[in-house]
Structures are given as C-alpha cells and as structure tokens.
Amino acid sequence: MRLRTLFRTSPRTSLRTPLRTSLRTSLRTSPRTSRTSPRATAAALVLALAGTAFTAAPASAAPAPTGITYEVTRNAAAYVDVPGTEITFDALAGERSFLWSRYFSTGPVDTLAAGDNIGNTFAIRCRVADGTPDGAPLPAGTEAGAYWAANLVPPGETSLTAALRWVFTAPADGAYSCRLSVVSYSSIIANGRTVTMRVPAGAELARKTYPATARWTLLAGTGTTVARATTATTLGYTYTPSAADTDLVLYQDAALSTCAAGSPICSGGTSAYTGSTVETWVEAQPRNADGTLCGPALTGPVSRWNISNAKHHQTAANTLRLTRAQLGGCAQVRTTLKVRNVAGNPVNIHDGYASGTIAATHGAGISYTA
C-alpha cells in the first residue's frame, strides 16, 4: 500500500507530516516538554501510561525477538511491519479491544548531523485474519488503526518512542489480526544518500477488553488551527463508564503541526518564530444521564510540547484517570481535549484519516476495577 498521499511538505524542513492535576490525576502521558529522555526511561513511561496501570494482565504478542532495520525513503512509502508484534484474536460484531504499544521505538543506525531531520510515523494497523500472512482489508470505511508521528531532530535526539493506544471495533463476527508498523521519510534521501533506521528488539502490541470501552475520532473537516495565545476545545465525546467499576481512564491524543511560514498545511505562520509552544490536557465534565451538568469539571495534567520548525509535527498524548467516587454519583462525563498555543506560530490539529483509514487525532474511554 502506498502512503504517498499521507504526507505534505513543510517548507522549512522539506519533511512530510501526516495529513490527516488535580485529584487522582498525577499520571502523565508525556514528559513536560518534547525533549528526548533516555531510552529506558521513555520506554518505562510509555509502558506505564499506555496500559499497565490496570491490574489484569493483557494479552499480547511475544516481544519482537531481534528488532529490524529498514531504509528511510524520500517520500513516505509503504509501512514496515515489526515482526513478532502481530496479535490474532476472535471478536464478535461491535466488540471493542483496547490496543497499546510497548517499547516501540526507532532511531538511525549511524549518527546523524544537525539538519538531518527524519519524519517518523508509527502505527497500529488491523486487518481481517484470513490465514494469509498479510490478512485481508477490513470493510471499506472501517477505522483500521491509529498513528503516532514526530520528526526525529539530531543531534539532540537519537531515537523516538511512540505512545500508541487505540480501540479496535470489530465490524462483524470473525478473526482479526493487528500489528505494529513504522515508516520513516526525509528529503535528505537524495543523490544516492541512504539512511538506515532500527526498531530495537522488544517492541510489543498488547490487547485487553473492558466492559465499558468507547472510541472517538476527530473526523475530516472538524480540525482547526490554534492561533497564538488562544485555546481550542476539541475531540468532544460523552462517555458512560460501567456502574460496576471503580475507576475510569480517558485518553485524548492529538496530531499537531506547527504552521511554519508558507506552510501548505495551515496559514498564519511567519519567519519571526521558529516553531510553536503548545500545552494540552484532558477535561471531563460530569453529567447526569439526561445530559445536565453534575458537579465541577475535572482536569488532567498539563503537558507542554515545543514543536520547532525542525520537529514540525508531534503527537500529543494525554491521559485523565478518575475514580467513580470523583464523579459524585454522576452517570457520565463529557470529555474534551484542550489545546493552548502558548507562544510562536499557529498550530494545526490534524483531523480525519491517513491512508488505510488510520486515525490521526483520536480518544478512548475505559472503565475498570483497580
């Protein structure tokens, strides 16, 4: 499958980007900034945030035994599947499976210099398990996965670790397979130059089902550009947790791009700024079953993202964990994502799907008993 239509050029970097604490909320989904942490720390953070807060062990594929290497392409080519991460399972029509990545990172085999920026898109991708190695496509229009994307900016960054989490909804009774994939791309691939990337051994895709699981996606045409010194409210969804569970968690993950001067993705950028500084967080407004307000709004931790022109795009992952007691008897919550442009050029919130019906900005709600 070709992904050439999935990316647009940033005029500043000639790279591609995907088109389309309060209370008990101390769990963070990111560092306070987008600076790279040591790989072991980042991997542990992703593991803790994506799913292991839940007590029951998930079903997962065996970790990728040896890792893989693959080549950076000038334009986004086909995804490279990570061996050993595939999960195959049976599901009834409408059954929801919470999927998340663990220890999923990539980085260049050889040292890169300043300016050798590499675009990277990590993805969870699902298909029908029909007995063939690649499986069969899901029915047309079925959401088939989600992506996490960012540029790797050397020499300060030597690898990126993805925090992928997404809910697969079975379109019909049957068997399905899901796997981790990656693609890397850069305009430095020219005049015979090559760059080899490596996904280290140990990448995993985990799966678990919960009694009250929901998924929502920022649909095409509903994205927005956030001007400097303003805050956007987006990715709204009314989630009803299971009354029998003690805890719930809300995920809101946004695909963001800085609007550099002359950007074909979004307007308003000027050369006076070298990027954007953005803050993101989850808000949840408890409601009664009839939709009326019920108690004060609850907010999650605020994460800050420094998206330079070189970084260009960044998936901002956000989590809010709550207990049923914090809802004060309210039946449901209206959850939204807040995106505040603190400084710099405007920021675009990507909507819709990348090639293969892979979601850009998306959220999920899960309830469980701790």
Side-chain angles (χ1 to χ4, degrees), residues 51-291:
T52 53
F54 308 129
T55 54
S60 63
T66 60
I68 60 165
T69 58
Y70 64 96
E71 297 304 307
V72 177
T73 53
R74 183 172 176 84
N75 300 305
Y79 279 113
V80 176
D81 294 331
V82 181
T85 63
E86 183 174 8
I87 295 175
T88 300
F89 55 93
D90 294 327
L92 299 176
E95 182 177 334
R96 296 177 176 91
S97 299
F98 179 57
L99 304 171
W100 70 98
S101 65
R102 305 196 288 196
Y103 310 116
F104 187 19
S105 66
T106 193
V109 172
D110 298 318
T111 301
L112 298 178
D116 289 343
N117 307 322
I118 307 294
N120 303 274
T121 299
F122 304 77
I124 296 172
R125 300 195 301 151
C126 295
R127 296 171 69 84
V128 174
D130 64 352
T132 64
D134 291 333
L138 297 172
T142 301
E143 187 168 302
Y147 72 74
W148 186 103
N151 282 4
L152 181 140
V153 183
E157 293 180 322
T158 58
S159 69
L160 293 177
T161 300
L164 277 162
R165 56 272 183 98
W166 175 70
V167 173
F168 170 74
T169 302
D173 294 357
Y176 298 93
S177 64
C178 301
R179 66 197 69 184
L180 297 177
S181 306
V182 66
V183 60
S184 300
Y185 37 89
S186 177
S187 61
I188 69 173
I189 304 303
N191 301 318
R193 183 176 182 182
T194 62
V195 174
T196 302
M197 302 288 282
R198 176 201 295 259
V199 175
E204 295 179 12
L205 178 60
R207 170 183 176 262
K208 187 163 177 57
T209 59
Y210 296 92
T213 301
R215 179 192 77 198
W216 51 93
T217 301
L218 192 63
L219 299 178
T222 61
T224 189
T225 297
V226 188
R228 184 172 57 258
T230 66
T231 301
T233 300
T234 188
L235 208 56
Y237 185 84
T238 301
Y239 173 65
T240 302
S242 168
D245 285 324
T246 62
D247 295 75
L248 62 144
V249 59
L250 302 169
Y251 298 110
Q252 299 274 35
D253 296 346
L256 306 177
S257 288
T258 185
C259 300
S263 169
I265 298 172
C266 47
S267 61
T270 74
S271 57
Y273 300 101
T274 59
S276 308
T277 300
V278 184
E279 292 179 342
T280 59
W281 67 96
V282 181
E283 184 173 284
Q285 172 60 63
R287 291 186 176 184
N288 295 307
D290 63 2

Side-chain angles (χ1 to χ4, degrees), residues 13-34:
T13 61
S14 296
L15 295 178
R16 273 33 178 198
T17 184
L19 285 178
R20 319 278 165 260
T21 324
S22 56
L23 307 172
R24 280 183 71 225
T25 59
S26 60
L27 181 64
R28 298 185 182 275
T29 58
S30 67
R32 295 291 294 181
T33 72
S34 58

